[in-house]
Amino acid sequence: MNPLTLVKRIQNINKKEASLGISEDASWHAKYKDSAYVYVGGIPFDLTEGDLLAVFAQYGEIVDVNLVRDKGTGKSKGFAFVAYEDQRSTNLAVDNLNGAQVLGRTIRVDHVGKYKKLEEEDEETRQKKREERGVCRAFQKGECNRGDGCKFSHDKQRAANTGWKG
């Protein structure tokens, strides 16, 4: 479904709940009472974690910002996950920022039911996992453009020893 259609649907649900005087416990937000994370989509690519913090902190104390970036280039992919200290802040952020304009782009803000924070790995652990997966076939052909974001090994010695010609 088109992201802007989702923005409009959420805005319409919120208007209907407000006009009917729906209680907090009966609101559609109650489904997400166990998650303090919100999804933010449509972010301008040049926004940083600090920029997101400045925009979203107006609705509560932020404890985590995960601006998703391309592993190879480090550039923003245009979406993020923001965690608040208290779940009620997520309701405010969704109600007030969903459909907002940020640097000429309409952002989408919605609840996240379950969010699993990725554990940070050191470079040695990442390298070991790459080696376990084997040598990158594209690297052997000289065509891999993923750099450090590649999940396979780029070990030139191992690639030479495999004897793979492509």
Side-chain angles (χ1 to χ4, degrees), residues 14-96:
N14 288 337
K15 284 179 191 173
K16 191 169 272 189
E17 282 189 357
S19 69
L20 294 172
I22 302 289
S23 73
E24 191 175 311
D25 293 335
S27 171
W28 72 277
H29 293 292
K31 176 181 175 185
Y32 302 98
K33 68 180 176 8
D34 296 327
S35 174
Y37 275 90
V38 292
Y39 164 83
V40 185
I43 301 169
F45 295 106
D46 52 348
L47 248 58
T48 65
E49 288 85 350
D51 297 328
L52 288 172
L53 190 66
V55 172
F56 283 82
Q58 61 187 317
Y59 297 106
E61 182 76 24
I62 294 178
V63 295
D64 184 35
V65 175
N66 177 10
L67 177 60
V68 179
R69 296 181 178 276
D70 180 273
K71 289 181 182 176
T73 65
K75 293 182 180 177
S76 167
K77 288 189 172 185
F79 67 98
F81 298 92
V82 176
Y84 285 96
E85 183 176 57
D86 136 4
Q87 193 278 332
R88 290 176 296 181
S89 297
T90 66
N91 296 349
L92 291 170
V94 169
D95 289 347
N96 292 292

